Amino acid sequence: MKDNSGSLYIIEAILAITILLVAVFVVNTVISIPSPEYSYEAHDLTSAQDTMEVLAGKIDFEDQTFLCEISTILKENKNSKKSIGEVSEICQNKLDSFKIANYKFCENNKLKGKVLAYRGNDNNAGEVSVATRTYGDYSYTLYVW
């Protein structure tokens, strides 16, 4: 039987290409670069950076930021004990609303490291997430563990 149309050659070529592609895929999967090992252990640690972004960010362009609000209270009252107490209460309520297990919120510049809000025991803190933001003359630091 004579093949004048060349169909056997075409079938043979397609079969050879298919075998070659299968071989390439097998070699590729065997010799692939190993992916890094990711930890599947979830941490309940809320990032201080994320929380501080919420405190420093505006909801829309007409709202004040939380840091602006507390800085204004402190500045207008010349950092009086009454204004520090008021700001401490506002900060405590705001950070408690985020349901953060343990945190410390301080003002570092004008109040010389005064702790404005605090929850938990930092003596046994393993991993501590830290974020700092500045508003005007005031510099705030949030520690979360």
Side-chain angles (χ1 to χ4, degrees), residues 75-87:
K75 187 175 183 177
E76 287 177 353
N77 295 301
K78 297 179 176 55
N79 304 325
S80 67
K81 286 187 178 184
K82 182 180 177 187
S83 66
I84 292 172
E86 180 182 348
V87 166

Side-chain angles (χ1 to χ4, degrees), residues 4 28 31 34 63 73 84 113 120 133:
N4 291 332
N28 189 29
I31 308 177
D63 290 339
I73 292 170
I84 292 172
R133 295 291 183 280

